Amino acid sequence: MDNSGKLNPQKVVVVGAGPVGALAALYAAKRGDEVHVYELRDDLRQSSTIPLNFTKSINLALSERGIHSMRQSHCDDLLQHVLKETIPMHARMIHGRRKNGSLYEESQAYDANGRHIRAVDRASLNKRLLETSGKMPNVTLHFNHKLIGADFDKRTAWFEEQSRTKTTGHAQNPTQDGVGDMEPERPKEFEVKYDLLIGADGAHSAVRRHMMKYARVNYTQEYIDTLWCEFQIKPKSPDGSFAIDPNHLHIWPAGSFMFIAIPSLDKSFTCTLFAPASHFSSISANPQQTLPQFFHKYFPGVSPDLIPPMELVNQFYENPHLPLISIKCRPYHYKSSVVILGDAAHAMVPFYGQGMNAGLEDVRVLFEILDRQGVYDHRDMTGKNARMQAREAALDAYTNQRAPDAAAINDLALRNYEEMRSSVQSPLYKIRKWMEEA
Ligand code: FAD
């Protein structure tokens, strides 16, 4: 506390500027903290940087869980801007083929009262969050900075400024047009002191890895036997309209695998094939021949109607075939020094559409608890270590409240894979639905 009785700002270091880190920076800045965000990659606001796991920007389902967390940041216009860049999805559309060979579509509403989820472009949401937090005078964003170590007892973290290519000779002067010799710049390492470090550095979190040397963290991870690959349905030619209904999340269920499509603002659809690794291997042996047949058999109406066979094959070649990881751990914190949020704490398979939503909710829950424990209330901060103690109690309460909740969402996500790829089309599903509605 300073002489005027005002609380000194805490120095908060956020590692990772994905959606969760960007929102956490905003919440801390709104409470007067001095916030420094360190992000491994380039500035998303100025480039078309793609998140590590994605080839293009992907579309996500944004739900009330995530929306409410942005609303509670109390940043004028943030939510308004974000929602303007979304497309409501009121129902899922199940695509299939009847026994007589004819195709059908069945719309299954998400909510009896008309509530809906929204399709959002992950990169534009991330960019909007970063732009909003970056405008706060007490937030500094450091891009191309990688966390390489931490001493959580001494509240010290080490970062490496990622090497960029340095030009020597006259090309160092950007006004001259010659090309100098290129040599890699040696990465610079430096030390950062902080009061609270927030690890929002994704599924392969370095913060979590270092925290495990300090806290007795129970940790499990599981790669499910499913890979995913992105495809795209282009807008209809020649009028450029949506090729299928834009207010649905489209699913082609096929028992042990599925194909889904989520609308984009440019009137295309970002699609994902989820299938066991063995299917990817057998298709990969000769995609030209097998992929169009595979789609014809299992995903009726997709190719050639929505994606020409050549494009299907090219996209299968060009886009990576990526794994899906599910992570649970506990605790999420160490003393009053560090806490992990988002995928760093609970990466989940995407079938419940809640990974990012749950991460954004982490931020809201964490700061509500910090507020409740009086971390930002100067009246309670009389002793020297009072604030640290309040912070430790808050982080403790956070782990106790949040870890079981996140683990439950994680389990639901795993279970919903069965629902999406299979149960949505089973007669039992229909009977159950009919009974619910009766
Ligand atoms: P990330 O988005 O992974 O961001 C972490 C950031 O930390 C990155 O920018 C990274 O560069 C940075 N970083 C990493 N290491 C370091 C380091 N050492 N130092 C500094 N910075 C570092 N979620 C939904 O809610 N709805 C959906 O519909 C949905 N669909 C999905 C579909 C697919 C196919 C997949 C794979 C995921 C989906 N998700 C969905 C999950 C969602 O993408 C993640 O939950 C979300 O991106 C997690 O956000 P995050 O900020 O915690 O982590």
Side-chain angles (χ1 to χ4, degrees), residues 15-22 38-41 51-54 58-63 122 126 145-148 159 200-207 209 228 249 262 272 274 323-324 341-344 346-359:
V15 182
V20 175
Y38 291 90
E39 164 58 47
L40 176 66
R41 297 173 297 126
L52 286 179
N53 269 343
F54 308 114
I58 66 158
N59 288 0
L60 304 178
L62 177 66
S63 70
R122 185 195 177 284
N126 201 165
H145 282 74
K146 179 182 183 181
L147 178 99
I148 53 165
F159 290 88
D201 52 343
H204 303 285
S205 168
V207 175
R209 206 172 55 243
W228 63 280
L249 192 161
I262 299 184
T272 316
F274 295 99
L324 290 172
L341 307 183
D343 275 17
H346 47 65
M348 57 188 76
V349 295
F351 308 117
Y352 204 42
Q354 287 295 344
M356 180 192 69
N357 287 297

Side-chain angles (χ1 to χ4, degrees), residues 84-359:
K84 229 189 271 170
E85 293 168 349
T86 64
I87 300 175
M89 296 187 290
H90 295 276
R92 56 190 181 193
M93 184 75 86
I94 309 304
H95 297 257
R97 185 185 281 121
R98 294 190 190 87
K99 280 210 170 106
N100 67 9
S102 62
L103 306 190
Y104 71 85
E105 289 181 346
E106 184 190 313
S107 175
Q108 299 176 352
Y110 280 120
D111 186 77
N113 300 312
R115 283 174 298 190
H116 54 268
I117 53 174
R118 291 163 183 269
V120 69
D121 175 86
R122 185 195 177 284
S124 51
L125 172 62
N126 201 165
K127 204 166 164 177
R128 186 65 71 186
L129 285 164
L130 269 180
E131 274 166 2
T132 312
S133 56
K135 277 187 197 145
M136 303 281 292
N138 48 340
V139 174
T140 312
L141 303 172
H142 309 261
F143 293 96
N144 300 300
H145 282 74
K146 179 182 183 181
L147 178 99
I148 53 165
D151 183 328
F152 293 126
D153 282 325
K154 294 192 174 132
R155 295 173 195 283
T156 307
W158 287 273
F159 290 88
E160 187 180 86
E161 195 174 348
Q162 295 300 281
S163 61
R164 293 185 215 160
T165 309
K166 174 176 98 176
T167 48
T168 58
H170 64 268
Q172 264 179 322
N173 179 345
T175 59
Q176 296 184 9
D177 59 5
V179 179
D181 296 329
M182 308 289 271
E183 70 176 41
E185 212 172 75
R186 284 202 23 229
K188 269 188 257 154
E189 277 181 33
F190 56 93
E191 186 177 290
V192 175
K193 298 271 185 199
Y194 64 84
D195 295 306
L196 173 66
L197 186 140
I198 296 178
D201 52 343
H204 303 285
S205 168
V207 175
R208 182 185 67 228
R209 206 172 55 243
H210 291 293
M211 197 179 87
M212 287 165 90
K213 297 175 211 155
Y214 290 79
R216 296 194 307 275
V217 178
N218 288 324
Y219 173 82
T220 55
Q221 74 168 50
E222 181 191 353
Y223 279 103
I224 63 165
D225 180 27
T226 293
L227 298 180
W228 63 280
C229 176
E230 257 177 57
F231 291 87
Q232 198 200 28
I233 296 174
K234 291 200 174 123
K236 244 201 292 197
S237 174
D239 66 343
S241 59
F242 282 105
I244 43 179
D245 188 296
N247 296 118
H248 281 81
L249 192 161
H250 294 264
I251 307 177
W252 284 260
S256 62
F257 47 94
M258 66 177 179
F259 187 72
I260 67 166
I262 299 184
S264 306
L265 288 180
D266 67 1
K267 299 196 165 50
S268 68
F269 281 80
T270 303
C271 311
T272 316
L273 167 66
F274 295 99
S278 58
H279 285 60
F280 274 86
S281 310
S282 50
I283 293 168
S284 297
N286 186 358
Q288 281 93 337
Q289 187 134 40
T290 49
L291 194 64
Q293 281 170 10
F294 178 76
F295 267 71
H296 178 73
K297 183 167 177 190
Y298 295 110
F299 309 133
V302 172
S303 186
D305 309 19
L306 303 174
I307 310 179
M310 263 321 282
E311 276 181 33
L312 201 64
V313 172
N314 288 345
Q315 293 179 28
F316 185 80
Y317 270 125
E318 278 162 19
N319 294 340
H321 306 161
L322 295 163
L324 290 172
I325 196 168
S326 174
I327 290 173
K328 286 182 189 167
C329 69
R330 183 174 179 160
Y332 289 160
H333 74 289
Y334 174 66
K335 295 187 177 167
S336 62
S337 176
V338 56
V339 61
I340 51 174
L341 307 183
D343 275 17
H346 47 65
M348 57 188 76
V349 295
F351 308 117
Y352 204 42
Q354 287 295 344
M356 180 192 69
N357 287 297

